[in-house]
Amino acid sequence: MTNEQEWPLWEVFIRSKAGLDHKHCGSVHASDAEMAMESARDVYTRRSEGISIWVVPSNAITASKPEDKESLFEPADDKIYRHPTFYDIPKGAGKM
Amino acid sequence: MYGDTSIQKPIEIAEPTSEEQARLEEIFQQKIDDNIKIEPQEWMPAAYRKTLVRQMSQHAHSEVIGMQPEGNWITRAPSLRRKVILLAKIQDEGGHGLYIYSSAETLGTSRAEMIEQLQTGKAKYSSIFNYPALSWADMGTIGWLVDGAAITNQVALSRCSYGPYSRAMIRICKEESFHQRQGYELLLSLSRGTDEQKEMLQESVNRFWWPSLMMFGPNDSDSPHSAQSMKWKIKRKSNDQLRQEFVDATVPQAEFLGITLPDPDLKWNEERGHYDYGEIDWEEFGNVINGNGPCNKQRVANHLKAHEDGAWVREAAAAYAEKQQNKQVA
């Protein structure tokens, strides 16, 4: 078996149609961005799944850690006043 | 063996070594029980990770090796229509392999490591791909029966507890339906053809029927450690359950084709509401899995050759990327 170095990993994001966000769909190995783009096209858009592709070196992504879930996201749970349904508006006021 | 590793040595499940670990395991199992998907960075028992890596890499290998029996027929396809279909299908198989490798890598095992395990025989792949594709009818039979069996399995796996695997399965199932339908359509046209074509169809199904049933793995009574996989929801249905689903769906399709299935014990069981079928030749299954099928050596040798022949391309691309990068720095 050869000891060659593995090509870097790239994360692939695809915009499925105009007006929608790019969405993560998987990864590819490629030696550079151009090859990552071509491989992403071949692997993830064989059936017109996309109109735009982003490829990002996997090691460039900083991800939140599962153990930080509480400190990051829990503070939002008790702020129900940030939602429109928190407020009672009488019917007479019309559509709001 | 799409998703069945029960014939292999079981992966040992270690007892928790500390209170903290026991607590983590409990939280983990609770998530599984609540049908909350497990994502890559989250804590998981070592044996869960190991089981997944084994199953997913073998699944990916099956897709990739599965290109070979069909690749053999591209230049002999009888029409341009059949040829583009076959090419598209084979490209899909390669793509499916890549989706699953990509998902397996999220568990911390490198692609290179998985490929090496395939090439050294440490990792297995589905026994079905060690049978040769001898006639054009096999291109139809593989789509209908082999992909049909794979779909049965993969639909169940799309509810698997590991997020990236489940997502890859959903994507694959969408595409796999084309594989089965093109195969059945191919067989339908043979069934309406000459006597010779009808004979070719029947002969092909005779060869592939039993190996397709073997794809689901040993009987439940002989796969004791799949219970753990069920508990972890890596596996959602047992081998025999899936096999029965496949038989029930397939028998009427065979009747529609006007062919017979090579099993004298195959008959509708009113009481069970399922088809009964005969005993599978498990000795043959064991032989093929353990390297003595008709094509085992050829399949791995081909993979190795393609990998080695392509080494210079990989090296050149890496050298080019480095050069471009240095240019940018300078």
Side-chain angles (χ1 to χ4, degrees):
Chain A
M1 224 55 52
T2 47
N3 286 325
E4 57 189 293
Q5 244 195 325
E6 217 172 22
W7 286 339
L9 196 63
W10 303 71
E11 299 301 321
V12 180
F13 300 80
I14 292 187
R15 185 202 295 285
S16 57
K17 60 178 189 183
L20 295 182
D21 295 321
H22 284 78
K23 199 174 146 195
H24 182 249
C25 65
S27 62
V28 293
H29 282 277
S31 60
D32 60 21
E34 194 186 337
M35 186 194 282
M37 186 62 80
E38 281 168 10
S39 298
R41 189 207 65 155
D42 288 346
V43 177
Y44 294 104
T45 64
R46 287 194 303 283
R47 287 178 178 74
S48 327
E49 289 94 337
I51 56 156
S52 163
I53 301 175
W54 289 348
V55 288
V56 182
S58 302
N59 60 15
I61 292 181
T62 307
S64 65
K65 295 186 185 70
E67 56 268 32
D68 294 339
K69 210 170 99 194
E70 282 174 26
S71 62
L72 287 174
F73 308 116
E74 255 178 26
D77 288 350
D78 57 2
K79 295 181 177 59
I80 48 173
Y81 48 85
R82 287 184 173 170
H83 298 275
T85 47
F86 180 74
Y87 304 93
D88 282 329
I89 306 287
K91 272 216 172 80
K95 202 169 169 344
M96 193 178 287
Chain B
M1 204 211 302
Y2 279 88
D4 181 70
T5 53
S6 48
I7 41 135
Q8 287 163 272
K9 225 176 97 208
I11 284 166
E12 244 177 80
I13 312 222
E15 286 297 315
T17 48
S18 64
E19 251 176 60
E20 169 65 5
Q21 190 145 16
R23 194 184 64 90
L24 287 170
E25 278 184 24
E26 209 173 295
I27 296 173
F28 175 81
Q29 189 61 48
Q30 193 55 51
K31 272 197 216 162
I32 302 264
D33 294 344
D34 294 342
N35 285 322
I36 296 172
K37 300 275 184 212
I38 306 300
E39 294 295 340
Q41 294 177 312
E42 293 170 24
W43 187 90
M44 58 186 89
Y48 175 84
R49 185 185 299 275
K50 224 170 149 183
T51 305
L52 272 173
V53 168
R54 178 150 92 179
Q55 178 169 327
M56 291 167 77
S57 65
Q58 293 185 176
H59 194 158
H61 299 331
S62 302
E63 299 282 356
V64 169
I65 295 291
M67 294 195 282
Q68 290 189 34
E70 294 175 313
N72 203 20
W73 281 91
I74 294 172
T75 56
R76 292 180 284 171
S79 68
L80 184 57
R81 178 175 183 270
R82 291 290 174 204
K83 190 174 185 162
V84 292
I85 292 171
L86 190 56
L87 277 168
K89 178 178 192 289
I90 296 168
Q91 194 191 10
D92 272 356
E93 311 291 5
H96 294 177
L98 294 177
Y99 303 159
I100 310 171
Y101 282 132
S102 149
S103 312
E105 283 178 283
T106 62
L107 291 160
T109 304
S110 75
R111 177 98 42 119
E113 214 173 315
M114 291 187 267
I115 302 284
E116 182 172 337
Q117 287 178 346
L118 168 68
Q119 292 176 342
T120 54
K122 206 181 152 219
K124 312 261 185 213
Y125 53 86
S126 179
S127 58
I128 193 80
F129 301 117
N130 289 319
Y131 292 88
L134 300 175
S135 74
W136 172 250
D138 289 359
M139 293 305 96
T141 309
I142 288 174
W144 175 43
L145 294 180
V146 175
D147 290 299
I151 291 171
T152 310
N153 216 327
Q154 292 173 148
V155 166
L157 282 173
S158 62
R159 293 190 301 120
C160 150
S161 60
Y162 187 56
Y165 194 24
S166 149
R167 291 192 286 275
M169 286 302 110
I170 291 169
R171 185 182 282 275
I172 287 176
C173 285
K174 270 193 212 155
E175 300 184 353
E176 200 91 60
S177 171
F178 138 60
H179 297 181
Q180 195 186 19
R181 289 172 67 115
Q182 66 81 32
Y184 194 70
E185 189 215 59
L186 193 164
L187 297 181
L188 264 178
S189 55
L190 290 179
S191 76
R192 293 166 185 155
T194 63
D195 286 348
E196 246 182 318
Q197 287 173 316
K198 288 176 193 163
E199 218 169 280
M200 177 166 55
L201 156 62
Q202 182 65 59
E203 189 273 336
S204 169
V205 171
N206 288 350
R207 270 185 290 114
F208 273 95
W209 175 250
W210 289 108
S212 302
L213 292 191
M214 292 174 196
M215 284 174 71
F216 296 96
N219 288 130
D220 295 351
S221 51
D222 296 318
S223 47
H225 45 273
S226 51
Q228 184 60 55
S229 282
M230 296 279 257
K231 191 179 166 211
W232 278 333
K233 294 186 183 168
I234 290 176
K235 210 172 161 147
R236 302 301 307 250
K237 286 180 180 171
S238 80
N239 298 354
D240 288 332
Q241 255 177 318
L242 291 166
R243 189 162 20 236
Q244 185 72 62
E245 273 181 27
F246 173 70
V247 171
D248 290 348
T250 309
V251 175
Q253 295 165 355
E255 283 166 6
F256 189 80
L257 277 175
I259 51 160
T260 57
L261 295 169
D263 178 0
D265 296 324
L266 188 70
K267 59 171 183 301
W268 178 252
N269 182 327
E270 193 63 54
E271 205 176 304
R272 290 201 310 129
H274 292 292
Y275 283 94
D276 289 336
Y277 53 91
E279 185 60 33
I280 290 167
D281 182 354
W282 294 116
E283 202 184 309
E284 176 182 326
F285 177 71
N287 274 332
V288 176
I289 281 284
N290 291 320
N292 303 316
C295 301
N296 297 53
K297 292 195 177 65
Q298 187 190 335
R299 299 291 187 237
V300 174
N302 274 345
H303 191 279
L304 199 58
K305 182 174 185 304
H307 191 73
E308 283 170 358
D309 287 352
W312 72 271
V313 180
R314 294 192 294 278
E315 283 158 21
Y320 175 77
E322 203 186 332
K323 197 171 138 192
Q324 292 303 108
Q325 217 160 19
N326 290 343
K327 256 192 207 164
Q328 266 180 7
V329 174

